[in-house]
Amino acid sequence: MSQWIDTDVAIIGGGPAGSTTASLLRKYNPKLRVDLFERAVFPREHVGESLLPIVCTVLDEMGCWDAVEKANFPIKIGATYKWGTTADLWDFEFLGGEPFVEHARPGKFKGQRQETAFQVERSVFDDILLRNAIERGCRVHQPARVASVEKHGDAVSSLTLDDGTTVTAKHYVDASGGAGIIRRAMGVGVNEPTQLQNVAFWDYWENADWAVTIGTTATRVLVMSLPYGWIWFIPVGATRTSIGLVVPAKHYKAVGLSPEELYLRAIGEEPKIRELTEGATREGSVRGTKDWSFCADRLVGENWYLAGECAGFADPILAAGITLAMTGGRELAHTILELERGRLDRNWLKDTYQTNQITRIGQHIQFADFWYSANGQFSDLKEFTRTIAKDAGLELDANQAFQWLGTGGFTNDAQNTAGMAEFSVALLKQLAQRLTDTKVDWEINKYNLYRPNLEDATLTYSANYKGGRVERLASYNRDGKVWPMRDLFGVVFETLKTERTIEGIVNRIHSHFERSGSDPTVMVERSLEVLEVLLHEGWVVGKFNPEFRPLAAITDSNSGAVRDNTDIAAAPTPQPRVTA
Ligand SMILES: Cc1cc2nc3c(=O)[nH]c(=O)nc-3n(C[C@H](O)[C@H](O)[C@H](O)COP(=O)(O)OP(=O)(O)OC[C@H]3O[C@@H](n4cnc5c(N)ncnc54)[C@H](O)[C@@H]3O)c2cc1C
């Protein structure tokens, strides 16, 4: 006999987006009935193993950073790239060039560990996150495949599971990843704003050497270009490594090789990867998927919401999929909690959730376009990179690239820094400089007097998602650009009310943070990044007066977080080997 489940929130999918939404809903409102339906029995394998530090902040909020740390995954310090104008290796490090100080594991989420990430075996990682949701009181149904979605207008009226069970809920969350169960049922279209239509092939290896071991369990992942694509090398455990190949779908079709042949040829042709896998054994079945970048046209409806990969996907070059899934799941949980409280306007809450995700996914896609179009190592893919650059309107000069990156807004995702796609402004400039091999300027260097320009701006609200609540924060809006009155953007706004000279601005911000106990030097640097963005976006107007000293901000493409690699020895050029 078929059953009926009635609940407050029904979530489809137990990946990172679904379990984050479930855990945080229950953390902040233990009375809320949350039911999650997952078609697979965990642990189940999944691609996407290299995390970014912000994921750890969300894990901490969910209450499961310690459990993930106990799994003893390699600590990710950053990545080493063969990418850009030369074949020389360079590093991007989360610790900004500070040496990593090893502590006994399991460690605590404090100090440097708040700035590092993990490389994970997804079967274990996703299972820990789902268990966390269960511990928080979410009812997880597994295996429970949602077979159909019943709708009435723009509302979901029920879900039907494979076994005939009917599920009714106040809120329906689609976190079903590529399946996009509600997205498809509600006829939501997707936008593919880029030529990035790649395919990926990967396998797991036992006992591959690590390119670099920092302390005993930390490392950087490798991203190594080939003439026709790139390889990821991600140690996910002491002896297990995920190695994958990404190539344009067109190239794969044209080359006429099987996935296995293409994959093994790539591993044999990349000297470092070949060297690291010399004494290793391959699990032996090459998995494959297409990894088209896209963004859904709509993320919310009457009583339904899209979270994680079903809302959009950005090419894996930035390793940001889980970041997008978990930050999105977090914001969705806050949105639903606030909708339940009924304190704030429903449409504003839903629109804000949607706009934030679409902006973020769009920025990541745009950034990925830049990475591909600026890679001179793709000698066989020159036409591919040229088309991406042309379609994106990209001129490969560092200043223009920086300007173009900012067309999606440097302030829209403001936490305490100006930037986009998890990169600060200074870092974006460093990367633009390194990838194009041209110098990048700072707009703030041209002036020494500044004043705010709020002409034609309207005062609206942006959202701050915190502690299970959504706070409305005043923001100025103009032509899709935002000046939020919060964090450093608020500090700069207040400062500009009384200070005009760069010296006065810097001194005032310095003493503001000296009083508040934060490192004033760091905060001044970040405030100057904010000022740079405000100048770019027209929120601040600059003037040069020879009576005052100018500023001299510089971008060094070989210092701090982005530097030439020094700890990975070059591998000998490979001789042909039998790969079958
Ligand atoms: C080649 C490649 C490499 C990648 N590399 C990285 C990386 O290095 N770093 C990174 O952060 N991200 C990476 N990603 C992206 C990352 O894998 C995804 O962004 C992430 O898994 C999205 O999480 P999610 O919870 O939205 O979806 P998923 O993790 O896919 O979870 C969706 C869940 O929904 C379930 N489901 C589907 N249909 C139904 C149904 N009908 N009923 C019930 N349950 C259902 C599925 O079984 C699944 O468990 C990569 C992706 C690809 C394709």
Side-chain angles (χ1 to χ4, degrees):
M1 199 178 71
S2 51
Q3 292 186 344
W4 178 40
I5 297 171
D6 183 53
T7 184
D8 293 321
V9 187
I11 300 174
I12 311 175
S19 52
T20 302
T21 312
S23 286
L24 292 178
L25 282 170
R26 290 284 309 179
K27 170 177 172 173
Y28 293 120
N29 184 354
K31 290 198 181 126
L32 205 66
R33 294 172 304 160
V34 180
D35 285 77
L36 185 151
F37 304 91
E38 167 55 57
R39 69 178 172 194
V41 176
F42 279 20
R44 59 99 179 83
E45 193 180 290
H46 203 299
V47 71
E49 292 113 343
S50 174
L51 308 185
L52 296 176
I54 194 155
V55 165
C56 292
T57 312
V58 184
L59 291 173
D60 183 53
E61 182 175 1
M62 289 161 68
C64 61
W65 187 89
D66 288 331
V68 174
E69 166 68 359
K70 264 200 199 123
N72 210 25
F73 294 122
I75 298 172
K76 182 179 168 191
I77 305 288
T80 295
Y81 294 91
K82 180 164 78 180
W83 198 282
T85 51
T86 74
D88 297 338
L89 299 184
W90 56 276
D91 302 334
F92 168 50
E93 286 207 351
F94 300 140
L95 295 172
E98 255 179 55
F100 175 64
V101 182
E102 184 159 76
H103 293 286
R105 295 188 75 184
K108 291 272 165 244
F109 187 61
K110 60 179 192 187
Q112 285 190 331
R113 295 303 303 278
Q114 291 179 320
E115 292 168 56
T116 58
F118 296 104
Q119 292 136 217
V120 299
E121 203 167 331
R122 284 288 299 277
S123 55
V124 180
F125 178 76
D126 288 15
D127 196 36
I128 294 172
L129 267 60
L130 198 56
R131 278 174 196 284
N132 185 67
I134 296 171
E135 279 158 25
R136 291 216 171 263
C138 165
R139 286 182 299 251
V140 171
H141 308 261
Q142 230 179 342
R145 191 181 79 91
V146 174
S148 66
V149 177
E150 290 71 47
K151 57 181 184 171
H152 177 71
D154 191 37
V156 172
S157 41
S158 61
L159 307 174
T160 304
L161 305 184
D162 254 352
D163 67 0
T165 302
T166 301
V167 180
T168 51
K170 274 169 57 180
H171 308 272
Y172 295 87
V173 174
D174 186 356
S176 64
I181 302 297
I182 293 182
R183 189 189 78 218
R184 288 176 209 271
M186 301 315 281
V188 176
V190 297
N191 178 20
E192 290 172 5
T194 171
Q195 295 286 325
L196 285 183
Q197 298 184 335
N198 289 333
V199 288
F201 301 114
W202 68 97
D203 200 351
Y204 296 91
W205 295 68
E206 271 303 311
N207 296 320
D209 289 330
W210 291 11
V212 58
T213 305
I214 302 161
T216 49
T217 57
T219 187
R220 289 189 301 274
V221 303
L222 296 186
V223 173
M224 307 295 267
S225 300
L226 286 162
Y228 47 86
W230 59 275
I231 295 183
W232 78 66
F233 180 95
I234 308 173
V236 294
T239 58
R240 189 173 166 84
T241 299
S242 164
I243 307 181
L245 169 71
V246 177
V247 294
K250 273 189 191 154
H251 175 84
Y252 165 56
K253 280 188 197 139
V255 82
L257 294 175
S258 70
E260 176 113 352
E261 286 165 339
L262 186 61
Y263 177 77
L264 290 175
R265 190 184 87 178
I267 296 209
E269 284 177 355
E270 206 305 305
K272 192 74 213 174
I273 303 292
R274 179 184 163 121
E275 184 190 66
L276 296 172
T277 52
E278 208 88 287
T281 42
R282 190 163 66 89
E283 205 169 271
S285 68
V286 172
R287 291 82 162 157
T289 187
K290 66 173 200 172
D291 57 25
W292 263 223
S293 297
F294 76 90
C295 186
D297 294 338
R298 207 153 66 93
L299 270 62
V300 293
E302 190 64 35
N303 60 353
W304 55 266
Y305 321 83
L306 311 183
E309 193 173 309
C310 79
F313 179 79
D315 189 275
I317 185 60
L318 299 175
I322 296 174
T323 299
L324 289 169
M326 292 181 65
T327 50
R330 175 182 183 273
E331 290 179 5
L332 180 55
H334 281 71
T335 301
I336 293 174
L337 289 163
E338 209 55 80
L339 283 167
E340 280 293 294
R341 271 185 212 111
R343 206 171 52 97
L344 298 174
D345 181 72
R346 292 178 63 80
N347 290 336
W348 177 80
L349 281 167
K350 291 203 274 184
D351 287 354
T352 307
Y353 169 74
Q354 171 167 284
T355 307
N356 281 352
Q357 311 317 308
I358 290 181
T359 304
R360 217 177 273 150
I361 295 163
Q363 286 176 331
H364 281 82
I365 293 176
Q366 194 165 352
F367 202 12
D369 272 349
F370 174 60
W371 274 81
Y372 277 87
S373 61
N375 190 0
Q377 304 310 301
F378 288 161
S379 51
D380 296 359
L381 302 179
K382 280 202 175 119
E383 187 51 32
F384 174 67
T385 52
R386 206 189 59 81
T387 318
I388 292 171
K390 188 165 157 269
D391 282 10
L394 264 176
E395 292 288 337
L396 297 181
D397 148 301
N399 282 309
Q400 287 162 324
F402 178 77
Q403 299 260 18
W404 173 83
L405 281 169
T407 54
F410 287 121
T411 45
N412 292 343
D413 205 18
Q415 294 296 319
N416 212 11
T417 46
M420 51 156 281
E422 332 317 326
F423 291 85
S424 72
V425 163
L427 203 47
L428 288 167
K429 284 190 186 262
Q430 264 191 305
L431 287 168
Q433 189 157 304
R434 182 167 279 265
L435 290 180
T436 61
D437 208 15
T438 54
K439 215 172 145 324
V440 66
D441 301 325
W442 282 77
E443 196 74 5
I444 44 175
N445 286 348
K446 294 185 190 156
Y447 315 105
N448 49 19
L449 294 176
Y450 305 91
R451 69 169 172 83
N453 168 25
L454 298 176
E455 212 175 297
D456 297 329
T458 46
L459 195 57
T460 54
Y461 293 104
S462 60
N464 187 25
Y465 301 93
K466 200 171 167 194
R469 301 183 86 84
V470 183
E471 286 171 34
R472 289 197 319 168
L473 292 171
S475 292
Y476 282 100
N477 257 274
R478 185 172 55 210
D479 304 330
K481 298 276 193 284
V482 183
W483 187 352
M485 299 292 104
R486 58 180 283 202
D487 301 328
L488 282 179
F489 287 90
V491 172
V492 173
F493 183 79
E494 287 303 316
T495 307
L496 288 172
K497 280 183 181 165
T498 52
E499 302 292 341
R500 288 286 191 266
T501 65
I502 190 65
E503 212 161 342
I505 293 168
V506 166
N507 288 342
R508 200 179 167 93
I509 292 174
H510 195 277
S511 37
H512 172 90
F513 285 107
E514 222 166 23
R515 283 196 304 277
S516 76
S518 316
D519 182 339
T521 312
V522 173
M523 297 320 268
V524 164
E525 277 170 18
R526 290 194 182 159
S527 303
L528 292 177
E529 294 182 66
V530 166
L531 194 61
E532 175 76 3
V533 161
L534 293 173
L535 269 168
H536 268 282
E537 298 190 348
W539 290 114
V540 168
V541 178
K543 227 171 113 179
F544 182 74
N545 181 333
E547 283 173 32
F548 299 101
R549 272 197 298 152
L551 198 75
I554 52 152
T555 301
D556 181 352
S557 56
N558 191 30
S559 72
V562 179
R563 284 177 305 167
D564 293 339
N565 173 270
T566 53
D567 56 11
I568 298 178
T573 310
Q575 300 302 308
R577 75 176 175 193
V578 181
T579 52

